[in-house]
Each structure stands twice: as structure tokens, then as C-alpha cells.
Amino acid sequence: MSILGFSVRESVQARGTEMPVDELREALKQGPVMMGPLDMGKLVYNPNSPNLGGSDHYVVALNMRGDEICLHDPAGFPNVFLTLDKLEEAWKSEFPWSSGVYRRWWSPERIEHPDLEEINRRAFTWFKSTLTEQTHDIAAQEGRTGASAILHKAAQVRAGAIDGNEWAHYVYFALPVGARRAHDYGLFFKTIHPDLSALKYGQSRQFGECQSRLVSRNWEAAATIMVALAETEAMIEASILKME
């Protein structure tokens, strides 16, 4: 929002607190409220929710009616209803990459009018700082990131060493979402950074192929395309870090 020139109100609760129903109701009087992360496995209006447990998601709340809330879900479910108790189950879920629970945003207000060149400059700065911070934080925890993490997973896949829950997470959520996001970034970079655009389009195709191989449980083919994904990721990271 700040990259585009908007301020927005944001709030989050401490873990273990009650869902802020009254605050949410008041915020909805001012307009839609973005909420998340939520656990997709708890969003029961989605018939595929049993396969999506542990996947983070964001929705927009539109209004409350009694003990139900009306949501716009960008996963293909506009104007759906969820009971408040089911909303609480999904919204109180904790994810390692998000501090606190019941996070929400509302009342966006334009405070600047950046032109496209400034928006792109801010975006480049954000991409670079985010990549640097993530790499540093994970390295500090002695974890893997980027190409190294993908290669590690490729070795596990080649050996068939992933359980059913992880398999479902990849084929139903992580790889399809990765393919879509990579394609969108390819479009974003098309005129302002053609080389990076080509890498992101290529990455999107690799995500899609990897998903296809995993669905058929062709571990060898899936691992091979994961190795190629790792090579592409390394080139993408190098390109981002060279941005000015």
C-alpha cells in the first residue's frame, strides 16, 4: 500500500486473546476489511478445504449478518459466508512468518500520488531488501533458503521421502500459487526488466511442470525439474540483488 501511495490502518492481537468481533464490526462500518493470514483448511465454504490445511490465505470481509460474516475470497469464492466460530478457527491460526493473530487492514487513504517510475523504484527497493532480510534471518537460524532449500527438497523428492500432507500442500497450494505468482511477476517486469521477466516466466512454467509430475507421483521427474527450479531461483536472486 505504501509503495502505491496509500496509508492504511492495521491491527493485530496477541496470541491467546479473543477474536476482536466488536472491533471488526466497527471497522466494517467504514468499508471492507482485509484479513489474514488465515488457515485455508478452516475455510469450509471452499469444498477443497480438507486438502489445504496449513496453507496461509487472505480474504476481504464485506459485512456481518448475525453470527455470520460475508467474505470475498480471491481463490474463486466471491460473496461467501462463514460462521464467526469458523472464522475464529481460521484467523487465530499461527504461522512462523507472521507475528500475532487476527491481523487486519482497513480504511486505506491516498496520501501520495507516485508516478509509475517512482512506484517501480520503490518496488525494486522492497524486493531487494526483503530478499536480503529473509536470507539473513534464515541463515541466522542455520536454515536453508533459495536455491539451497530447493535442492535439499529435490533430494528428498527423488528418494520419495515426503509424506501425504506435504505432497498435498505442494500439489494443491504451493506449486499452483508459485506458478501464478511467477507469471504475474513476469508480466510486471516485462517492460522494465526484460531479463528478469524472462526468468520469472520460465520459473512459472517450471512450477507448473513440477506440480504435474508430483500429481502423478513421478518422483524422479519432479526432482529433476526441482533442480532446474533451483538454478532459476539462483539467477533470479542474483538479478534482484543487482537492482538499483
Side-chain angles (χ1 to χ4, degrees):
M1 296 296 285
S2 61
I3 287 173
L4 296 173
F6 287 86
S7 67
V8 62
R9 298 187 65 182
E10 179 180 3
S11 186
V12 63
Q13 308 293 123
R15 292 168 179 167
T17 58
E18 295 183 359
M19 184 172 69
V21 176
D22 292 339
E23 292 91 331
L24 179 59
R25 185 178 287 109
E26 286 301 311
L28 284 168
K29 292 178 181 180
Q30 303 173 44
V33 177
M34 181 175 170
M35 310 162 67
L38 299 90
D39 188 331
M40 291 188 79
K42 308 293 185 181
L43 301 178
V44 293
Y45 54 76
N46 183 339
N48 195 34
S49 60
N51 296 310
L52 299 174
S55 300
D56 66 308
H57 195 49
Y58 294 80
V59 300
V60 174
L62 302 176
N63 57 68
M64 279 191 195
R65 298 183 187 176
D67 65 347
E68 291 187 316
I69 190 165
C70 181
L71 305 173
H72 173 78
D73 185 330
F77 300 94
N79 300 308
V80 288
F81 285 83
L82 192 67
T83 61
L84 293 179
D85 60 335
K86 290 296 183 181
L87 173 66
E88 183 175 18
E89 289 182 27
W91 202 12
K92 72 179 181 181
S93 299
E94 299 180 15
F95 298 90
W97 51 89
S98 179
S99 60
V101 294
Y102 305 126
R103 189 177 295 276
R104 64 246 187 226
W105 299 261
W106 74 101
S107 295
E109 180 182 357
R110 178 170 288 284
I111 57 175
E112 296 178 285
H113 292 81
D115 59 20
L116 186 57
E117 182 177 355
E118 175 61 15
I119 289 173
N120 291 338
R121 186 195 67 77
R122 293 179 183 183
F124 286 167
T125 300
W126 183 74
F127 297 148
K128 187 173 181 178
S129 63
T130 299
L131 177 59
T132 302
E133 290 169 7
Q134 288 178 347
T135 302
H136 178 270
D137 291 344
I138 294 174
Q141 300 169 18
E142 298 183 356
R144 294 182 177 89
T145 183
S148 174
I150 298 172
L151 287 172
H152 177 70
K153 184 55 60 179
Q156 292 181 331
V157 169
R158 197 181 302 277
I162 61 172
D163 62 25
N165 289 333
E166 188 175 11
W167 176 86
H169 177 72
Y170 281 125
V171 302
Y172 286 106
F173 178 71
L175 291 170
V177 170
R180 176 55 191 264
R181 289 179 178 173
H183 183 274
D184 288 346
Y185 274 118
L187 181 61
F188 174 76
F189 288 121
K190 191 171 184 178
T191 59
I192 55 179
H193 201 310
D195 291 343
L196 187 52
S197 174
L199 286 171
K200 294 303 289 187
Y201 278 133
Q203 186 186 49
S204 178
R205 292 189 292 270
Q206 289 170 334
F207 276 130
E209 182 176 352
C210 188
Q211 192 268 355
S212 303
R213 305 310 176 204
L214 279 179
V215 166
S216 60
R217 290 179 167 80
N218 187 335
W219 309 123
E220 182 65 28
T224 297
I225 194 64
M226 276 190 170
V227 171
L229 263 169
E231 295 172 354
T232 302
E233 179 65 20
M235 290 187 285
I236 289 171
E237 289 186 6
S239 183
I240 290 174
L241 291 175
K242 291 178 182 177
M243 287 179 172
E244 296 181 358

